[in-house]
Amino acid sequence: MAGRELSRDAVYQLGRAIGSEAYEQGMQSVIVGRDGRESSEGLMEALCRGLVESGRDVVRIGQVPTPVFYFASRFLGSNAGVMVSAGHSGAECNGLKVVIGEAPLGGEALLRLGRQIERGDTLQGNGLMQEQSLIQDYLGKVGRGHSPGAPHESSGRFRQRRCRPGGAGAVQAARLRGG
């Protein structure tokens, strides 16, 4: 639950560890997006602070559907990114989708981040932060028949996903319709 199990301090620490892991894999910039949950904005702020303080450059893409987050990583040439979202879980939940390299992190890689935090073994630096909107770029790719959805974990291929009503996809669709 956001605010209890997933506090801003915990997300800050994760940002430091994720930034350190990105550095170890030769990555300087990290793409960061969020969904529309009430807790996502504060968690994203803490995450970005941790990433920047690990020396990584952060490109904030704001509130976007998850497929736009995956698209942004490829489009901007970064193989590192974090989406603050709990997917289709309830509004009281939140989480992080972490991508370093070709596939989302899971299992042992996430445990390794936890051990890094416990040891205090994270980098200290001073990265840069910028904001960028990629909705129009994403829609341009989709309109030309590309399918820039989430990478399939085992193959790196893309698959398209639908967003839930009230999610970031619904918000972006309303903006595009002028609502």
Side-chain angles (χ1 to χ4, degrees), residues 30-34 41 44-45 48 52 57-64 72 76 128-135 137 175:
V30 180
I31 309 301
V32 178
R34 67 175 177 88
E41 190 166 358
M44 186 171 94
E45 293 298 325
C48 289
V52 166
D57 296 335
V58 173
V59 179
R60 294 170 46 125
I61 60 171
Q63 181 180 337
V64 296
L76 297 174
L128 304 173
M129 188 160 9
Q130 66 174 326
E131 296 198 22
Q132 190 165 351
S133 175
L134 295 170
I135 295 295
D137 296 300
R175 287 182 185 154

Side-chain angles (χ1 to χ4, degrees), residues 34-45 84-86 94:
R34 67 175 177 88
D35 68 9
R37 286 177 175 77
E38 191 174 311
S39 62
S40 292
E41 190 166 358
L43 294 176
M44 186 171 94
E45 293 298 325
V84 179
S85 174
N94 219 329

Side-chain angles (χ1 to χ4, degrees), residues 20-173:
S20 299
E21 180 67 19
Y23 172 82
E24 291 297 323
Q25 294 194 30
M27 298 170 199
Q28 178 60 31
S29 66
V30 180
I31 309 301
V32 178
R34 67 175 177 88
D35 68 9
R37 286 177 175 77
E38 191 174 311
S39 62
S40 292
E41 190 166 358
L43 294 176
M44 186 171 94
E45 293 298 325
L47 173 69
C48 289
R49 190 167 48 90
L51 289 165
V52 166
E53 290 180 15
S54 76
R56 297 312 90 216
D57 296 335
V58 173
V59 179
R60 294 170 46 125
I61 60 171
Q63 181 180 337
V64 296
T66 301
V68 174
F69 162 72
Y70 287 115
F71 165 77
S73 296
R74 306 269 191 216
F75 185 77
L76 297 174
S78 174
N79 285 326
V82 185
M83 178 74 178
V84 179
S85 174
H88 297 285
S89 298
E92 72 282 358
C93 299
N94 219 329
L96 304 177
K97 296 177 183 181
V98 182
V99 177
I100 298 179
E102 291 297 315
L105 289 189
E108 180 55 36
L110 292 176
L111 294 173
R112 190 171 54 248
L113 292 178
R115 290 191 296 270
Q116 256 184 297
I117 293 168
E118 288 173 359
R119 292 190 311 265
D121 186 20
T122 57
L123 294 174
Q124 178 67 40
N126 191 22
L128 304 173
M129 188 160 9
Q130 66 174 326
E131 296 198 22
Q132 190 165 351
S133 175
L134 295 170
I135 295 295
Q136 294 301 325
D137 296 300
Y138 175 79
L139 292 174
K141 289 285 188 187
V142 171
R144 288 193 299 272
H146 295 275
S147 181
H152 188 275
E153 291 181 24
S154 62
S155 70
R157 294 181 321 223
F158 287 102
R159 65 178 177 222
Q160 200 66 21
R161 291 189 173 164
R162 297 188 191 281
C163 294
R164 64 181 167 78
V171 171
Q172 294 299 336

